Amino acid sequence: MAKSKVYPLWLRVWHFLNAALFICLIITGLSLQYSGETSFLIEFETAIKVHNICGIILSVNYILFLIANFISGNYKHYFSNFNGLISKSFIQLRYYLIGGFKGEEKPFQPTVDEKFNPLQKITYLKIMYVAMPLLIISGFGLLFPEILIDEFLGESGLLYTALLHTIIGFLLSLFLIVHIYLGTTGTTVSENFRAILTGKNELEDK
């Protein structure tokens, strides 16, 4: 294998900005849920202002990602080679849960055309093209509640929107934790983190 440039500068800048914004949103989001006079978290009024600002920046950053992803052709790593994707994902999951701890070889090596393993592909597809839009849309619904439906099944539209936003935010927070952990599962602990910093990673030629 040879080192190839697989993470262009725009993607690395987006990645770190997105991570920083999301960490800020997690902290302020928790503060909105649990702030009180004796809480160590951020004061409610400050938390809601920072949360809203970070949410708007995250939304703009996401739109820029979609545009750059399409123009650069990076989208092909998300939308190609779906043959046997589910079964291959279980093979990769087994490696993460068992094989990696036993020193087994990775079942799917990254290539120039396929830099994501099957589990990464199916996860990133759901995160970037389902969860993120839902998070952003529900966030704007909470920011501008006048655009929401007044009532649905006997409950306010605001309640359903807040519930959706909280659930998606919680799931994405779990993804962030797992994502950081899996970043340590390269040949060395720092290999994957160094790759996203430099843009280069070990890829097979085919």
Side-chain angles (χ1 to χ4, degrees), residues 15-125:
H15 184 271
F16 286 111
L17 178 57
N18 193 67
L21 289 168
F22 210 85
I23 290 172
C24 183
L25 287 167
I26 291 173
I27 295 172
T28 53
L30 287 172
S31 296
L32 295 177
Q33 292 289 330
Y34 302 110
S35 282
E37 293 183 0
T38 60
S39 174
F40 66 91
L41 296 173
I42 302 171
E43 190 268 336
F44 185 86
E45 292 300 325
T46 300
I48 197 167
K49 291 177 182 177
V50 175
H51 194 82
N52 290 342
I53 292 171
C54 288
I56 292 171
I57 298 174
L58 182 81
S59 303
V60 173
N61 197 43
Y62 177 71
I63 293 172
L64 293 176
F65 164 80
L66 292 179
I67 295 172
N69 206 39
F70 178 76
I71 293 175
S72 67
N74 189 65
Y75 70 89
K76 68 183 180 181
H77 295 291
Y78 297 84
F79 296 98
S80 64
N81 192 17
F82 290 106
N83 293 331
L85 185 61
I86 300 298
S87 59
K88 291 177 182 177
S89 294
F90 280 108
I91 294 174
Q92 183 66 39
L93 179 61
R94 181 200 171 277
Y95 170 77
Y96 282 143
L97 295 177
I98 301 172
F101 296 102
K102 296 171 64 176
E104 295 178 7
E105 185 178 349
K106 293 180 180 180
F108 302 99
Q109 296 290 346
T111 68
V112 174
D113 296 324
E114 289 284 340
K115 68 180 181 182
F116 297 147
N117 66 51
L119 189 58
Q120 287 175 323
K121 177 178 289 187
I122 198 169
T123 301
Y124 294 163
L125 265 174

